[in-house]
Amino acid sequence: MLCCPFRVAVKRKLNCVLLFLIALMLFTRASAVAADAPSAIPVKLEQNGQQWRLTRGGQPFSIRGVGGDGSLDLLSKSGGNSVRTWDVDDKTERLLDEAHRLGITVTLGIWLGHERHGFRYTSFDDVTAQTEKVRAAVERFKNHPAVLMWALGNEMEGYDGGDNPAIWQHVESLAAIVKRLDPQHPVMTVVAEIGGRRVQAIHRFCPSIDIVGINSYAGAASLPRRYREAGGTKPYVVTEYGVPGFWEVPKNDLGSVDEPTSTTKAESYRRTYQALSDDQALCLGSFAFIWGHKQEATATWFGMMLPDGKKLAAVDAMTELWSGSPPTNRCPRIERLEIKGSARLKPGATFQASLTASDPESDSIKVRWVLTEDSQQFPTGGDFQAAPIGFPEAIGNADERQATITMPRGGGHYRLYVFVSDSQGGAATANVPLFVDGPIVRRPGTKAKLPLVVVADELETPPFAPSGWMGEHTAVKVDERSTDAPHSGDTCLQVDYARGDGWAGVAWQSPPDDWGDRPGGFDLSGAKRLTFWARGAKGGERVKFGVGLIGNDKPYSDSTKVEIEVPLTTDWRQYEIDLADRDLTRIKTGFVWVVAGQQQPLRFYLDDVRYE
């Protein structure tokens, strides 16, 4: 049947009207969603003569900040207004949202590779991958209203002169990219103190860097003077400060380091903050370290809190400095912790320790005494450290004022801790180093929960560090975040050996950089196997994999040693190292690979390494 032309025309008009109404509805809904979605708050760096300042949303903004993953709610209530991170990860979005809800800003750090970890600033592939990582992070988070600024890297220049032009030229290229992608937020880079030629290098090679971030401890209060003497004219932020670092403290006659009490530490935070606040011309603010807890040299050296979230006196000090008023309930105070007699003891010796502590509000206090091995780990890089083993049986009669301690039979370094807490969320800490003059006894490592993951995507606290580089290690390059067809997740570990002769390898160690001279390791009793996935780039690559390297000639050895050699294929394949009936009570070298020259350079990949 033929259609009427008029009827067809009307139908077409009705269809057009309907499509228009649908489009209008979708546009209105999208506009409403866009209107509700938060958007970036502009942050500007302004100069007036010799004075610099930050503005946020058009208002002056001075950073009263912290670094760490402690409570943001406590930070807000304490008068802080900012937090810094060291890298972006799957928790970044939640952090930004929570910070924005509480009115806290976030300096988003983007980790840049360290040469000591195998990153090469002269490598096309390394630099390209890092550039794309930075680009992706900025594109993802630049419009979040909590973002204050970007921090490119953290001490990536190393701990010597800090004058490698390749590093600084790459930092400049990254900063220029960030500024093009996000003109609404300043760009900072973070260095380890200002020794060597760091300040000079940034000012010469990095015109796109707006702000210099400086991690400084014992010397933080003198930074206003020293920074200018080093030629600094850019504004700066002190991105880490607090108690003097253990590397800045002379060793005592036991060969260990004496740690201040948490009560004494609070004054270090106070002095530094006040000195930096006086620099109204160049200093834009500061981030106290660490808002939370971290095992580094000791269990308490840098922590502003205990693992259970109780605050220490440093938090009280910062609360008063940030808000102008002390907290309503302050932390307990420790006046003195001392032992009767010498700190150099015989195996099994018993001694008395005494404590003088009080609470400012006369709250009742509880005291906990703890004896552990002393880690004797004093590196400056801040790498992960496992907690040393403890000896709860060493604590005899103990109360709020004294304790009887019986030392273990094994020789070596120990540390006696005391933890004082009130009922209001406050605490105090102190410790003393001890030494048992006797033969080293092989003890179990820290008891590990199985399965224990050694290598995997986004491993937050790796139990072992890939720090034991061996043989022709200068020919080795390790990319811990390769995206070249990982077995699972987004990344895998890629290894390149550039030589056709010689040999090289990498050992995963606990503690890092230790070949048996320090306590550490894990008790993996109960593990039946170590499994891992591997593949070769071309197939046929022969690689040795194993557990344990340190022999009994060292005071702190691995309790077992086993290895296998396998030819790799181009497809991912799971391999297994049988650990049944092995002594796994102290594994310090948790994983190791070794390659020998095979007449040509080779590449292989690793993923999902775990004890089961």
Side-chain angles (χ1 to χ4, degrees), residues 571-590:
D571 295 322
W572 285 107
R573 178 181 170 186
Q574 188 178 41
Y575 299 90
E576 177 179 309
I577 296 177
D578 184 10
L579 299 175
D581 302 321
R582 294 275 182 171
D583 181 1
L584 304 177
T585 53
R586 186 169 68 188
I587 300 301
K588 301 194 66 192
T589 311

Side-chain angles (χ1 to χ4, degrees), residues 6 51 90 104 143 197 207 256 264 284 295 304 315 318-319 381 383-384 394 420 510 535 545 551 563 566 576 585 608:
F6 174 75
Q51 186 167 357
D90 57 358
I104 292 171
N143 290 322
R197 305 179 76 175
S256 190
T264 302
L284 303 175
Q295 168 73 39
M304 299 173 74
V315 177
M318 298 315 305
T319 299
D383 295 330
F384 169 80
V420 181
S510 170
R535 69 177 177 90
F545 300 98
E563 66 179 30
V566 298
E576 177 179 309
T585 53
D608 297 327

Side-chain angles (χ1 to χ4, degrees), residues 402-455:
Q402 60 186 3
T404 300
I405 316 295
T406 301
M407 296 302 293
R409 292 286 175 183
H413 291 271
Y414 297 84
R415 197 169 286 263
L416 176 66
Y417 293 87
V418 63
F419 298 89
V420 181
S421 60
D422 61 20
S423 59
Q424 305 297 319
T429 69
N431 64 70
V432 291
L434 305 166
F435 183 79
V436 170
D437 193 359
I440 301 295
V441 174
R442 189 176 68 79
R443 298 192 187 89
T446 302
K447 185 62 179 176
K449 182 180 179 181
L450 298 173
L452 183 72
V453 179
V454 180
V455 176

